[in-house]
Amino acid sequence: MTDKTKTDPTSPALPGQRVTLRTIAEMTGLSLSTVSLSLRGGTTLKQETRDKVNEAARALGYVPDRAGVRLRTGKTNVVALVLDGSEDSIDFARQMIQGIGSAIKGSRYHLTVMPEFERMLSADTVRYILQNRTADGVIITHTGPRDHRVQMLIDAGFPFVSHGRTEFPTPHPYHDFHSERFASLAVERLAAKGCRRLLLVIGDDSTTNYHNIVTAFHQAAKRAGLDSAVLEGARSRTPATMRQFGVELAGQSDRPDGIICDSEMRTIAMVGGLEEGGIKPGQGIELIYKQTSDILPTLFPHVDSVREDVFAAGVELTRLLLRRIEGEPAEDLQTLAEPVPHWRSGA
């Protein structure tokens, strides 16, 4: 009897047998050139044909030979995420990676994650990508006003998108959290709750995000007739020293009556210190934090927050990058994510 799995082109490949373009062509009845064009994203083909090829590729478990693809087309079919490893927002990395993964699912692209735990080395990572062409496009996070990585990528004419804005006159693709709106919403909320002396607890002063938030915070407080101050050196404070700051704050007679915090980790540490000192949020001090996970609402169900959807940011960054790879103008690829307030306490 003939072994059907060896002769029927509609059967999946045998275990250990590599699936090729010819395998897909035999299964679909299409030519090799049509299958190849379809998997490269050929827009001249009918959608029905592209769907047929994609369905067969998924069913067979087809994985492109990256070396062969690069040799033929100069493309790697890879997007690289240069991820700041010092990020102190809870669950940031996982949500960002999942968002990017969701956006490239079903496409020809794969994701390479390159974590950087020292930001000064991030330029070396970008330089390596540029010199070796290990990706077709790059996503970078935590940009500064005159970010040297952005300058390198602009000078090289290499497709990229940044999670954060810069001050370069040359336009480049970016997606950013509307941090100015976050600060304004928080100040307005605290003013409505009767607060008069506000403190902003914010971390990394090397990013554009820091300067945007601080400027908007002072402007919104001035409009509302409130006193405003920024906690200096929050970036270098460990969770233990942040907790101690909360303890000390609770014992001050002239402490602020409203606090805005840009980090869930700093919020947890500071609230722990405040409670150790006998002060709970909403009882002498009002608090609003930037929310990037569902953890803090479980711990502090009555504390106000303003949410940034990091998963959605990963999806949007990928969408912009793929459009840039296809040659769309940089000035058309700049978007902001609106903050979502969650007012849980009364007033």
Side-chain angles (χ1 to χ4, degrees), residues 81-312:
L81 168 64
V82 181
L83 182 66
D84 190 299
S86 63
E87 170 57 40
D88 55 9
S89 293
I90 294 174
D91 217 23
F92 178 91
R94 182 185 68 85
Q95 292 187 70
M96 176 64 70
I97 291 169
Q98 286 188 338
I100 297 171
S102 173
I104 62 175
K105 185 177 181 180
S107 76
R108 66 181 183 272
Y109 287 98
H110 300 267
L111 172 66
T112 296
V113 180
M114 310 179 80
E116 286 296 354
F117 296 97
E118 295 184 40
R119 191 164 300 162
M120 67 182 66
L121 299 179
S122 192
D124 293 338
T125 300
V126 170
R127 188 176 294 108
Y128 175 85
I129 294 171
L130 290 175
Q131 290 175 347
N132 296 280
R133 287 299 192 267
T134 55
D136 295 337
V138 178
I139 298 171
I140 59 175
T141 66
H142 301 81
T143 52
R146 304 293 296 181
D147 198 296
H148 45 292
R149 301 168 302 170
V150 170
Q151 186 66 69
M152 289 168 58
L153 290 160
I154 289 175
D155 290 345
F158 194 81
F160 78 99
V161 60
S162 63
H163 187 219
R165 287 163 280 176
T166 67
E167 294 179 353
F168 288 106
T170 302
H172 67 80
Y174 67 73
H175 176 67
D176 198 10
F177 180 63
H178 198 162
S179 49
E180 301 93 327
R181 184 62 180 147
F182 156 67
S184 297
L185 283 170
V187 169
E188 291 164 7
R189 172 65 170 172
L190 292 174
K193 298 181 81 170
C195 297
R196 305 301 303 170
R197 298 184 306 280
L198 307 187
L199 176 67
L200 175 64
V201 178
I202 184 170
D204 192 349
D205 60 4
S206 68
T207 65
T208 309
N209 180 69
Y210 174 93
H211 297 286
N212 289 341
I213 290 179
V214 169
T215 301
F217 166 70
H218 286 308
Q219 290 176 343
K222 184 177 181 180
R223 287 194 300 269
L226 309 180
D227 294 333
S228 60
V230 177
L231 177 65
E232 299 296 336
R235 176 186 181 186
S236 61
R237 292 178 184 257
T238 65
T241 57
M242 200 71 226
R243 181 184 177 91
Q244 183 58 36
F245 168 75
V247 173
E248 296 169 358
L249 197 62
Q252 295 176 5
S253 59
D254 60 343
R255 62 178 175 262
D257 52 9
I259 298 177
I260 301 170
C261 189
D262 76 324
S263 158
E264 290 181 317
M265 292 183 69
R266 276 188 282 274
T267 299
I268 291 174
M270 183 173 57
V271 170
L274 287 170
E275 292 188 341
E276 182 180 332
I279 301 292
K280 291 186 176 182
Q283 299 177 7
I285 293 182
E286 298 293 340
L287 173 66
I288 299 176
Y289 64 92
K290 188 172 85 167
Q291 179 185 345
T292 53
S293 76
D294 294 322
I295 295 175
L296 261 71
T298 302
L299 297 174
F300 312 125
H302 304 299
V303 177
D304 290 339
S305 70
V306 179
R307 175 142 199 169
E308 176 183 8
D309 191 335
V310 180
F311 179 92

